[in-house]
Amino acid sequence: MEHQAVLRHSFLGGGVWFSLRPRVLSFVRSRFLRKHSTSVKNRPKISTLCLLNESRAKVIYSVAPAMGHNKEAHPECNSRVPAIVSALEKMELTPKFRGSEIIQLQDFRIATVEDIASVHSRSYVFGLEKAMEQASEQGFIHIDGSGPTYATATTYQESLIAAGAGLSLVDHVVAESKISQSPPIGFALIRPPGHHAVPKGPMGFCVFGNVAIAARYAQRVHGLKRVFIIDFDVHHGNGTNDAFYDDPDIFFLSTHQEGSYPGTGKIDNLGCGIGEGATLNLPLAGGSGDIAMRTVFDEVIVPSAQRFKPDIILVSAGYDGHVLDPLANFQFTTGTYYMLASNIKQLATDLCGGRCVFFLEGGYNLEFLSNSVADSFRAFIGEPSMAAKLDDLGYLYDEPSIKVKQAIQKIKHLHSL
C-alpha cells in the first residue's frame, strides 16, 4: 500500500488492527478489472484522441459498482449499479448504440489517501483500511450503526475506486471545457454512496464523501475555486454539509424530506463564520413532488447559483425521492429527474462553461432508479423524456402545496433571494 501508518485506536471504538492482506487487494483489483475491462491508474491520463472523441460527446460516465461491497437484503446492495447499466443498454443509451455521443470512461484512477484526507480524517481512512482484516474474517462488519453502514473485505479498496471514478470525470470534463463550449456532462455511476459520510467516519450507507472529495479536488488540482453542490437526494447530505459548513467558496444546497434520516439540515442551518450563507438547506414536507421541485428549482436553486457564480457544478444525484422508493415519502417521478437533469445542465452552461458532474447517491427501487438515471441521460443528450411510458401516475396524490410555499418563502427570506 501507499502508506505504512500504524493506527493506535480504531474508529470502531478500540480493538486490534491488522494490515490489509495483499491477496485481498489483489482480488479486488483483478475482479474489478476483469468484470469491467477498466484500466485503473493512480493519476489522470487524458489523451488528445480522448479529448477529440469527447468534443463530440454529450455524456461521459464511469462505472464502479463495488461488487464485493454487499450485504444480503440490504437496500444499498451490489445490484444497484448493474441495474442502471443494464437499463442503459436496453434503452440504447450506451456507446454501443450512440457512438461518440455517449462515452464510457474506460481509464480512471484510484483515489489516493491524500484525495480522501482532503475531506476525511486520516485516522478514519487508515482505520477503515485496517478494519478490512476483520471484515474478511467475519464476512462483513458494521462500521456505523445509524444506517446501518456495513463493510466487507473489499469495501476500502472499492470505495477508493468509486471516489477515483468521480475525480477522473472531473479531469475529463474540465479538460474538455478548455477546448469546447459544450463539454459533456459527467455521471459517476458509483457506490458506495457518499453524502452522509462525515469527516470523522462513515454514516448512512456512505463510506467516503465522493462529492465532497471531488469538490476539494476541483479546487486543488484544477484551480476551480467556487464549487456549487446541488444535493437532490431525499435525505439530507449531512456529511457534505459538515465538510464545508464554514467555507465561503463551496456552496452546498440540499433539498430533502423534512424529518427524514438523518434528521439534520434544518432550514435555518446557513453555515457559520465566513461560510455563513454558503449553505442552503430546504426541508420539504412529505408528499412533495414534481410541482414542488420545479418551483424550488426556479425560485431557489437558479437564483442561488446565479449569485454564487460557480466555476463548476457538482450534483449528489439521489433517486430515492421517487414515489415508489421504499425509504422515503416524496412523489418525484421519472419526469422530475429528467427535469432536474435538463435544468442543471442548462444552469452549468449558463454559469460555468458547462462544467458539471453528477454522482450517484441513493435510490433503492431498482426499476425506477434505473429508469430515472436513463431519463437523466436522455436529458443530457437533448432527447425527449420517456417518463410518460415509464411512470404510473395513479400512485400520485395531492402535494402539500401550502407547506411547500411556506418553506420556499422562508428560505428566500433567510437567503435574501
Side-chain angles (χ1 to χ4, degrees), residues 62 80 84 161-171 173 185-195 208-218 227-233 240 312-319 356-362 369 373 380:
S62 56
R80 297 178 65 234
I84 296 170
I161 291 170
L167 300 184
S168 294
L169 285 177
V170 171
D171 289 332
V173 168
I185 298 290
F187 204 130
L189 300 176
I190 58 176
R191 55 177 295 275
H195 72 153
F208 294 147
N210 301 312
V211 163
I213 292 163
R216 286 293 184 222
Y217 182 83
V227 182
F228 193 81
I229 300 174
I230 300 171
D231 187 331
F232 58 72
D233 191 282
T240 316
I312 188 171
I313 295 175
L314 303 179
V315 183
S316 273
Y319 291 84
C356 181
V357 181
F358 280 56
F359 294 74
L360 182 66
E361 297 285 1
L369 164 65
V373 173
F380 296 150

Side-chain angles (χ1 to χ4, degrees), residues 24 57 284:
V24 175
L284 297 170

Side-chain angles (χ1 to χ4, degrees), residues 29 32-45 63 104-110 161 164-165 168 172:
R29 287 182 181 273
F32 179 79
L33 295 174
R34 182 174 66 250
K35 191 171 185 67
H36 298 280
S37 301
T38 305
S39 175
V40 182
K41 306 293 184 182
N42 283 329
R43 290 290 180 266
K45 184 177 181 181
V63 177
Q104 180 178 353
L105 184 60
Q106 296 286 357
D107 186 7
F108 58 83
R109 64 193 290 263
I110 296 179
I161 291 170
S168 294
H172 283 259

Side-chain angles (χ1 to χ4, degrees), residues 292-370:
M293 202 60 195
R294 289 176 184 273
T295 306
V296 167
F297 198 92
D298 291 341
E299 297 190 17
V300 178
I301 296 177
V302 170
S304 295
Q306 289 174 334
R307 184 169 64 187
F308 184 71
K309 298 180 175 61
D311 297 313
I312 188 171
I313 295 175
L314 303 179
V315 183
S316 273
Y319 291 84
D320 43 4
H322 195 282
V323 64
L324 295 180
D325 192 274
L327 297 191
N329 187 33
F330 267 4
Q331 294 191 84
F332 290 2
T333 65
T334 304
T336 309
Y337 292 113
Y338 179 93
M339 176 274 296
L340 285 168
S342 179
N343 288 358
I344 291 172
K345 176 186 177 182
Q346 186 60 52
L347 196 63
T349 299
D350 293 342
L351 299 180
C352 55
R355 291 183 290 272
C356 181
V357 181
F358 280 56
F359 294 74
L360 182 66
E361 297 285 1
Y364 307 101
N365 179 315
L366 297 186
E367 178 183 357
F368 291 99
L369 164 65
S370 303

Side-chain angles (χ1 to χ4, degrees), residues 60 86 114 116 119 129 134 141 168 174 192 207 215 233 270 297:
I60 180 168
S86 295
E114 287 69 30
I116 307 301
V119 171
E129 180 191 13
Q134 182 186 356
I141 57 174
S168 294
V174 171
V207 178
D233 191 282
L270 312 177
F297 198 92

Side-chain angles (χ1 to χ4, degrees), residues 3 15 21 24 45 72 91-92 136 142 144 158 191 259 269 279 300 322 381 388:
H3 53 78
R21 291 178 292 188
V24 175
K45 184 177 181 181
E72 186 177 353
M91 298 179 190
E92 300 186 355
S136 179
H142 283 114
D144 163 61
E158 289 185 308
R191 55 177 295 275
N269 294 161
T279 297
V300 178
H322 195 282
I381 63 178

